Amino acid sequence: MTHARMSGTEQAWAALGGDPALLARIGTSGPDGLLPARLPVMELARSAVAVCSLAAAELAARRTARPVPQVRVDDGAVATAFTSERHLRIDRRALTNFAPLSRFWRTADGWVRTHANYPHHRARLLATLGLPADTSDDTAVDAVAASFTGRRGPEIEQTVYAAGGLAVVARTPEEWAAGPRGAAVAATPLVARDRIGSGPVRRTAALAGEPLLPAAGLRVLDLTRVIAGPVATRTLALLGADVLRIDAPQLPESQDAHSDTGFGKRSADLDLGSRSGMAVFDELLTDADVVVVGYRPGAIERFGLMPESLAARRPGLVIGRLSAWGQGPWAQRRGFDSLVQVATGIASVEATAGPENLPGALPAQALDHGTGYLLAAGVLRALTEQHDAGGSRLVTLSLARTAAWLLEELPARAESGAECGAGSGVTGSYDPEKWLTETDSPLGRLRHALPPVAFDGSPADWSRPPGPLGADAAAWLTA
């Protein structure tokens, strides 16, 4: 069966190596016309959540020797979860998702997009213009606009990246596919699955007296940031895993971002560059079942944390790994969903009508969220395979490869309302309240999206709210 004849769910499940017969366990429902765009964004979102739910149901069945539970995919829950950062309220305060310097800029030959949500990226962008880091936002916006309008996009992209900042030229899908970056990504599978070492079969039984949670009793080291990786580990936490997020104390991170993706987890600071920090990490690794890595290639390898070395130190480990750009010339570059949309041509496809032809954006950070659920699915399927045959396993994804899936492989069915404004952030004429809830937390009263992963016996919400970054001990919970 070719991609053109397969649904997104069938494509993703095949990429995960799943038994096609299990697809009959999936049922879908919910309102129509959500996540409207020219590209099939809702198909991507629905498919990623469906295979994640099915992989969870399959592992639950394997661990308890029961039939695979029925999976329920509700489009309303999916669309709400894919825009979870927009729905989150902390004591009624909405999050600011993009800083003033994270935007499109007109250049002499088209458009570039910058990403400057983090202070160090903002400072590096301004440094290319000879401006200090404490330049006001209004002055900075005017200065960047004035500079970029007279320069060519490729020169801006190269100069800003060389300074450690982030700027990407808006390309068409054809331009991206014809270049070495696009060709390298296209040559990789949507989900790369590898057995990278030996290891025992670890058949961790479900905890006595607990609900049927597929990841109960499993320990996950979470070395991820921003959205995609944290969405994956947030999902594993929902499914019963003890997820411990590790951050470097010297690397700034957004508490607001963690407030959205930190449900179910604990968070600790650990300096892997110090002897004591690495000793603590080694101790944690000794009892870990899963390690999820969301840093660009080269960022943590300098600490000796390559997948093969992790597997050698902890035989039977499952490793999930994601990056922005995947393989190719940009493999080690920093990247975010918004930039990948621009580079791969998505922004060109979603451009607004009119003489300026302003590049557009998807109605959700769908590459981030979609890749996150696919990564969680890949880890769950690897745990199922490990349960059956042992071995250490590596699952690899990238935002750029997910973009290729959206652009080239998913059924080309735009959702109703797509013509109304690509990139507007509209999520259809539905009331998301059904898929939102409130809870108290150490951060205040939270309104947040409910998890979209659902099957018979799955939890309706996470077991714990997020807390302050770095507030927990770098240790596993006692059984």
Side-chain angles (χ1 to χ4, degrees), residues 250 271-274 278 298-306 313:
Q250 68 273 19
D271 183 3
L272 299 182
S274 70
M278 185 54 73
I300 67 168
E301 282 81 354
R302 61 195 175 100
F303 301 117
L305 303 182
M306 292 76 71
R313 290 153 64 183

Side-chain angles (χ1 to χ4, degrees), residues 12 16 48-49 51-52 55 190-193 220 222-225 227-236 290-295 318-323 367-383 394-399 402:
L16 290 162
V49 171
V51 296
C52 185
L190 176 62
V191 182
R193 302 160 45 250
V220 178
D222 178 2
L223 305 177
T224 71
R225 290 165 59 83
I227 297 179
V231 163
T233 51
R234 181 181 70 181
T235 302
L236 297 175
V290 177
V291 175
V292 183
V293 179
Y295 290 82
V318 170
I319 302 165
R321 180 177 61 179
L322 68 90
S323 64
L367 305 182
D368 262 332
H369 287 272
T371 305
Y373 288 109
L374 289 176
L375 179 59
V379 168
L380 293 164
R381 287 242 60 251
L383 286 166
L394 172 65
V395 180
T396 307
L397 295 94
S398 72
L399 302 189
T402 302

Side-chain angles (χ1 to χ4, degrees), residues 21-323:
L22 293 180
L23 291 168
R25 310 298 292 172
I26 299 174
T28 60
S29 63
D32 296 326
L34 305 184
L35 301 181
R38 296 190 181 101
L39 292 167
V41 178
M42 191 63 217
E43 178 74 7
L44 181 154
R46 180 189 301 119
S47 301
V49 171
V51 296
C52 185
S53 301
L54 185 57
E58 178 190 33
L59 180 59
R62 188 72 93 255
R63 292 184 66 186
T64 58
R66 299 176 186 173
V68 175
Q70 286 290 134
V71 167
R72 307 181 305 278
V73 180
D74 186 314
D75 278 3
V78 171
T80 305
F82 264 61
T83 51
S84 61
E85 65 275 9
R86 301 181 195 173
H87 294 294
L88 184 69
R89 299 291 183 271
I90 306 173
D91 288 334
R92 300 186 179 181
R93 176 182 64 85
L95 277 58
T96 300
N97 292 309
F98 285 100
L101 295 185
S102 297
R103 49 166 281 189
F104 286 105
W105 308 89
R106 171 70 82 175
T107 67
D109 56 350
W111 298 90
V112 298
R113 179 155 186 153
T114 54
H115 193 286
N117 284 5
Y118 287 100
H120 57 297
H121 292 154
R122 182 184 188 276
R124 292 166 186 171
L125 170 63
L126 293 179
T128 67
L129 305 181
L131 295 174
D134 60 357
T135 301
S136 71
D137 285 335
D138 288 344
T139 299
V141 167
D142 290 343
V144 174
S147 174
F148 283 9
T149 193
R151 298 162 61 188
R152 296 178 61 82
E155 184 267 326
I156 295 170
E157 183 180 83
Q158 181 177 1
T159 300
V160 174
Y161 261 102
L166 297 105
V168 169
V169 171
R171 295 168 170 83
T172 66
E174 294 75 20
E175 289 169 340
W176 173 257
R181 295 166 289 265
V185 172
T188 61
L190 176 62
V191 182
R193 302 160 45 250
D194 299 288
R195 181 165 177 157
I196 60 171
S198 61
V201 173
R202 288 210 297 272
R203 294 178 178 166
T204 309
L207 300 180
E210 293 291 326
L212 180 65
L213 296 181
L218 301 180
R219 290 169 168 170
V220 178
L221 276 174
D222 178 2
L223 305 177
T224 71
R225 290 165 59 83
V226 196
I227 297 179
V231 163
T233 51
R234 181 181 70 181
T235 302
L236 297 175
L238 171 76
L239 300 171
D242 178 11
V243 177
L244 180 62
R245 172 171 169 151
I246 300 296
D247 282 282
Q250 68 273 19
L251 190 61
E253 177 59 309
S254 167
Q255 176 63 57
D256 277 359
H258 180 63
S259 299
D260 178 48
T261 58
F263 285 89
K265 311 177 192 178
R266 294 175 300 116
S267 166
D269 285 340
L270 197 60
D271 183 3
L272 299 182
S274 70
R275 183 174 299 179
S276 59
M278 185 54 73
V280 173
F281 181 85
D282 286 340
E283 186 175 347
L284 291 169
L285 182 64
T286 299
D287 293 318
D289 300 287
V290 177
V291 175
V292 183
V293 179
Y295 290 82
R296 61 190 172 89
I300 67 168
E301 282 81 354
R302 61 195 175 100
F303 301 117
L305 303 182
M306 292 76 71
E308 291 77 11
S309 67
L310 290 170
R313 290 153 64 183
R314 174 59 164 155
L317 190 68
V318 170
I319 302 165
R321 180 177 61 179
L322 68 90
S323 64

